[in-house]
Amino acid sequence: MDSSVLLGSQFPQDAPQLQGLLGVPVRGAATPEELLQLTHQGVPSAIVLREGFSSSLSLPDLMAILSRRPDLGSTRMIAVVPVSQMQASFEGGADVVLPPDTSLPTLAQAVKRSLDRVTRESKFQTDVEELQKKVENHVKDERTRDQLVHMLVHDLKNPITAILGLLEIVKDDGERLIPPDLMNMIELAREESQHLLYLAANMLDVRKMQAGKMVLSLVHIRPNELEQVIEQAKLDVGIALKERRITVNVDRRFNHVPVDRDILRRIFANLISNAVKHTRTGGLIEVVVRSSASALELAVRDNGEGIPAQDIPNLFAAFEQSRLTMHSRFDTGMGLAFCRLAVEQHGGRIWVESERGKGARFYFTLPLEKHEDDDVEVLS
């Protein structure tokens, strides 16, 4: 589209006069046929049709023909017609309708406003296209980054698993031969390797759950089995937990709950590990399970440093918990992101309550399976 104006008028002198007032090229047409031919030679920014221009075709009908042309979709149409034809002109596609006694300077002002609008809309369309291209490039970059992270993390799991196996062998076979202080270092190396393995697993599983590709292996566990899961999670946290006081209190008034045992174990391990990182030596960590009619409420509470209020809204987003812990380990927040997605995939929800300096309380729920009797309607 160019910035020219196409004028349909029975007065030839109107075109150069209007061009002088507008400062843009104005092409004149004396007949509808000539006007239609000119529109095929170049798409104008505006078309002005004046009363008396066409004797064989009414201006509203001519505008209806022009408005159906896809290439003229952004062209503004201005009609100068009698009052009796104004409504029909709007219905035919006119953007501006003026009375027959409109002076040429006034017409020029109306055309100029229409041209300004065309310019703004064209710029807006260009900006939208550029923004859309940036979004597409960003999505492409994100996809490439995710694929790269997935490949790197996946490739890291095998050597980490091998290191863990070797450290387990050294630990089991060397208890009588290796000095205690060296055994402590071996145990620390094993736990840090385990931490790396959990980090890799969390990153892979977060990506799977975000893509909707994570399938839970649900089994029904009873209160004593839930306690076993918690004990396994405590072992996963490792030696650092020995420097904390931890209590476990499980409400036994539920029959069973459907869960993925391995996923639940990792949820507890992440939350307990998070509590360890934010409490001092000798700090208290409480694991509490309460039952209601429809769900279990599970909690991991600590008396540590607490969480700043500004951190809470994004606490469960991946890479958003990036703040130094009390023990100078930089936390990616991937563990809490895993917890949120895993709990939600079980049909529950997770949240945190905390005040700076007063510890933190992480809660999550797991829906209890409804018994068939619950759906039976009793008729009197």
Side-chain angles (χ1 to χ4, degrees):
M1 177 186 293
D2 56 38
S3 58
S4 67
V5 175
L6 191 54
L7 173 64
S9 173
Q10 60 180 324
F11 305 109
Q13 69 276 14
D14 285 353
Q17 291 179 16
L18 187 60
Q19 179 171 312
L21 292 169
L22 291 174
V24 298
V26 177
R27 295 176 291 168
T31 64
E33 293 76 16
E34 183 183 359
L35 184 137
L36 290 171
Q37 185 178 4
L38 288 174
T39 60
H40 288 291
Q41 295 176 4
V43 178
S45 296
I47 296 176
V48 181
L49 300 176
R50 301 203 69 173
E51 179 192 17
F53 163 65
S54 173
S55 57
S56 60
L57 189 65
S58 71
L59 291 188
D61 289 340
L62 178 58
M63 282 183 288
I65 293 173
L66 293 170
S67 65
R68 287 194 290 267
R69 290 258 304 272
D71 57 330
L72 299 177
S74 298
T75 299
R76 297 286 168 178
M77 286 195 286
I78 301 164
V80 183
V81 295
V83 174
S84 61
Q85 295 186 17
M86 285 186 173
Q87 181 64 32
S89 297
F90 276 122
E91 293 174 354
D95 297 289
V96 178
V97 177
L98 300 171
D101 58 352
T102 300
S103 65
L104 207 57
T106 302
L107 176 60
Q109 287 296 322
V111 174
K112 189 175 186 304
R113 285 195 296 270
S114 295
L115 293 177
D116 290 341
R117 175 174 284 188
V118 169
T119 301
R120 290 195 301 271
E121 289 182 354
S122 177
K123 183 179 183 303
F124 176 75
Q125 183 64 31
T126 301
D127 292 343
V128 168
E129 290 174 357
E130 290 179 356
L131 183 59
Q132 186 174 5
K133 189 177 295 185
K134 289 181 180 178
V135 170
E136 291 173 354
N137 290 336
H138 176 71
V139 170
K140 184 179 179 181
D141 291 343
E142 285 287 308
R143 190 181 299 114
T144 301
R145 187 194 68 177
D146 286 347
Q147 291 172 347
L148 179 60
V149 169
H150 181 269
M151 287 187 295
L152 288 174
V153 172
H154 190 272
D155 290 345
L156 278 173
K157 286 184 68 177
N158 289 336
I160 294 173
T161 302
I163 292 171
L164 272 171
L166 292 172
L167 289 172
E168 287 287 353
I169 293 172
V170 172
K171 178 185 174 184
D172 293 340
D173 296 344
E175 288 185 351
R176 289 174 296 178
L177 303 175
I178 300 176
D181 55 344
L182 189 55
M183 281 299 297
N184 287 337
M185 294 176 66
I186 291 173
E187 177 63 19
L188 182 60
R190 189 195 68 81
E191 291 184 1
E192 290 301 316
S193 298
Q194 184 69 56
H195 174 75
L196 281 176
L197 189 61
Y198 270 130
L199 179 59
N202 285 340
M203 293 181 72
L204 289 174
D205 288 343
V206 163
R207 187 174 181 274
K208 280 184 184 178
M209 285 186 280
Q210 287 174 334
K213 297 179 180 179
M214 188 77 171
V215 179
L216 299 180
S217 300
L218 296 179
V219 295
H220 293 82
I221 63 172
R222 299 183 181 279
N224 64 311
E225 294 173 305
L226 179 56
E227 290 177 335
Q228 292 171 10
V229 170
I230 296 171
E231 289 302 315
Q232 291 169 341
K234 288 166 58 179
L235 292 174
D236 293 337
V237 175
I239 195 171
L241 195 57
K242 296 178 180 178
E243 300 175 347
R244 308 292 186 275
R245 294 174 293 138
I246 182 165
T247 63
V248 178
N249 187 341
V250 176
D251 186 347
R252 293 178 169 271
R253 289 177 297 174
F254 70 95
N255 187 20
H256 52 72
V257 59
V259 296
D260 184 312
R261 286 187 64 134
D262 291 337
I263 296 296
L264 181 60
R265 171 179 172 177
R266 286 169 56 191
I267 292 172
F268 273 117
N270 277 306
L271 293 178
I272 295 171
S273 176
N274 185 73
V276 168
K277 287 181 286 189
H278 295 281
T279 54
R280 299 183 185 278
T281 300
L284 177 63
I285 299 172
E286 299 174 282
V287 180
V288 180
V289 179
R290 296 284 180 263
S291 64
S292 66
S294 60
L296 289 185
E297 182 182 279
L298 309 96
V300 176
R301 307 188 297 223
D302 67 67
N303 64 348
E305 60 186 347
I307 303 169
Q310 64 270 21
D311 287 355
I312 291 178
N314 296 321
L315 200 63
F316 294 99
F319 303 111
E320 289 292 341
Q321 196 202 4
S322 299
R323 59 192 180 92
L324 285 174
T325 67
M326 293 182 68
H327 309 287
S328 300
R329 171 179 281 176
F330 202 66
D331 197 347
T332 64
M334 191 61 71
L336 292 181
F338 167 81
C339 291
R340 177 180 66 84
L341 293 169
V343 168
E344 289 175 355
Q345 190 149 352
H346 277 83
R349 67 185 187 97
I350 187 170
W351 71 98
V352 62
E353 298 174 1
S354 179
E355 291 182 39
R356 190 68 169 156
K358 296 184 178 181
R361 298 165 297 282
F362 285 85
Y363 298 93
F364 66 98
T365 61
L366 294 174
L368 293 171
E369 194 170 59
K370 293 180 67 176
H371 297 290
E372 292 182 2
D373 293 344
D374 294 341
D375 295 326
V376 176
E377 185 176 354
V378 179
L379 300 178
S380 57

